[in-house]
Every structure is written in C-alpha cells, then in structure tokens.
Amino acid sequence: MSHLDDGGLPFSLLQFYATAPYACSYLSAEKARSQVATPTHLINTEVYGELVRAGFRRSGVFTYRPLCDECHACVPVRIPTERFRPDRAQRRSLKAHAGLVAREVPLAFDPAHYALYQRYQAARHAGGGMDHDNREQYAHFLLQSRVDTRLVTFSEGDVLRMVSIVDVLSDGLSSVYTFFDPDVRGASFGVYNVLWQIERCVANSLPHLYLGYWIGASRKMSYKSRFRPIEGLFDGQWRELPADDSDC
C-alpha cells in the first residue's frame, strides 16, 4: 500500500493499493489488476472529481483505475462537450427517441429498475456474471455512492425504457452505468443516452463527459469512439484521439 503523489492533487490522506491479478472482462487473453483508492469515506465529490481526471472511476464505493502488469489497452476517455457535433447516425437516434421523457428520481431501489436491469444483462451480457446479480449485488453496484450521483429514468408513455446513473463533477458528468430495454427492435437507446448526457453538460456549462475506459480491441467499447472529438488520458495528459486510433 502506498501514497500517490500526483502534482499536488488533494490525495494527501488517501492510500492506494494494487489488487491481485484477475480475469479481464474485455480481453479474454489478458489478466487485469486495479489500483484502488482508500479509505472510501474520504472520497467525496471534490476528491472523486480529481481522481476521475487522473483516470479513476468507481463501482459503488469502490474507486479504481487499471494497473495491469503487461497490458495497457484501457484508456480513460472523455468528450469535450462544447466541441461535440453529432454525426448523421447520432442525429437519427436523437430524432427516433425524442419522445422519451427523462426524470430524475431518488437513488434508491425500485423493483421496476431491477427487473429492467435483469432483462438487459440477460440479453446483452449473458455469461458475464452480472446477469446473475441479486438485489444486494445490484444495489452495491449502482445505488451506493458517496459522491453527487443522479439516477435518471427514461420512459415512453408509461413504459420504462432506460435507467442511467451519472455522477456530477465540477467539470462535467461521469457516466456510471446505463441499462435499457433490450427488446425494442431498431432502438439505439445507448447512443441516445450519451447524447442526452452531452446535452446536459452543455446546458449546465460542464465542459466534459467522462465515459470511463475505452479499449480499441473491445467490441463492447467501440461505441465510445464514434463520439467525436474524444480525448484519452495518456501519460497523465488528456489528448484528442486521432480518428484512425478510434477505429482500431
């Protein structure tokens, strides 16, 4: 366990440790390790924002960033929201889902949200482990937070179509997780949700939307590179990803 000295960031009371290697969720041939920030009760919204800018993200109250021994494929990415312009496919998504009504609701367990989460996991991530999450695991993953977190539902009439959890930082929003109805043919709920979050950033003068990690070789993460421009964190510096990098 060690302290992290990173250019004066407010980490003086935090400590960081590396996990044991575990199977990578995105690249089957690789072993992953994470660097975890502790103690969790000191990671408030301000400190978490600095951690996000240094490449961390969270799962529940577990704040981490990749620290793999051999692989360096995970790149923290963010969208500079004022410069973003939707492409043709993204404009179609905005039009197709313009009837969705977004509502901010309490960060609390709701059986309808959990049922949608189970359907989404079974359809989109079968065999990944999360498709068998019980209520407690679901709550630990999405409903535990020590930072400024918002839970937003998206409905079509009386039908719940999507749930999104986002953290509000001083310089942007940080996407935590989104799940949606997997059975609507031709829908692009995930794309629409990112576009909605970008619009919320612009409306609130927040310059960045943080999207977690991007891996060029992972099909699950390829959607992130379709939002242009997009920046990646390399050697402690945020730099725009060239178009050819985003398609690799």
Side-chain angles (χ1 to χ4, degrees), residues 73-229:
C74 287
V75 178
V77 291
R78 69 185 187 186
I79 297 170
T81 56
E82 288 287 354
R83 295 169 52 210
F84 172 78
R85 298 294 181 272
D87 63 19
R88 182 178 300 177
Q90 291 161 353
R91 291 195 296 271
R92 285 199 301 267
S93 179
L94 284 170
K95 183 177 180 180
H97 299 303
L100 288 174
V101 176
R103 295 184 179 89
E104 185 178 324
V105 300
L107 187 68
F109 183 83
D110 185 307
H113 301 174
Y114 178 54
L116 181 62
Y117 175 84
Q118 290 181 305
R119 288 173 53 210
Y120 171 80
Q121 293 295 344
R124 295 299 183 100
H125 302 291
M130 293 168 66
D131 52 330
H132 296 297
D133 279 0
N134 59 32
R135 288 176 52 153
E136 183 178 2
Q137 290 168 315
Y138 166 83
H140 276 287
F141 173 38
L142 294 179
L143 305 180
Q144 288 194 349
S145 173
R146 294 183 179 274
V147 301
D148 185 0
T149 301
R150 313 295 173 87
L151 192 159
V152 183
T153 64
F154 296 80
S155 299
E156 196 170 30
D158 295 330
V159 180
L160 177 66
R161 293 299 190 194
M162 181 163 55
V163 174
S164 186
I165 294 91
V166 295
D167 293 332
V168 182
L169 310 177
S170 63
D171 71 328
L173 297 179
S174 177
S175 291
V176 178
Y177 201 74
T178 296
F179 53 95
F180 49 79
D181 189 335
D183 300 323
V184 180
R185 296 188 61 180
S188 54
F189 291 127
V191 172
Y192 175 81
N193 184 261
V194 175
L195 296 169
W196 182 88
Q197 292 185 36
I198 292 171
E199 288 182 346
R200 291 297 86 209
C201 286
V202 172
N204 290 281
S205 300
L206 297 172
H208 303 112
L209 173 61
Y210 292 89
L211 289 178
Y213 303 116
W214 169 78
I215 300 174
S218 171
R219 184 177 60 84
K220 293 179 182 178
M221 293 190 178
S222 63
Y223 75 93
K224 298 181 182 183
S225 64
R226 298 179 190 137
F227 295 87
R228 306 295 304 178

Side-chain angles (χ1 to χ4, degrees), residues 24 27 29-33 66-74 215 217:
C24 179
L27 301 176
E30 300 292 342
K31 288 288 186 179
R33 276 162 44 105
L67 189 69
C68 303
D69 296 320
E70 302 294 336
C71 178
H72 303 287
C74 287
I215 300 174

Side-chain angles (χ1 to χ4, degrees), residues 214-217 225 228 230 234 240-248:
W214 169 78
I215 300 174
S225 64
R228 306 295 304 178
I230 190 166
F234 300 95
E240 187 171 329
L241 269 66
D244 55 350
D245 284 353
S246 69
D247 296 327
C248 65

Side-chain angles (χ1 to χ4, degrees), residues 17-31:
Y17 70 88
T19 67
Y22 55 90
C24 179
S25 301
Y26 298 99
L27 301 176
S28 59
E30 300 292 342
K31 288 288 186 179

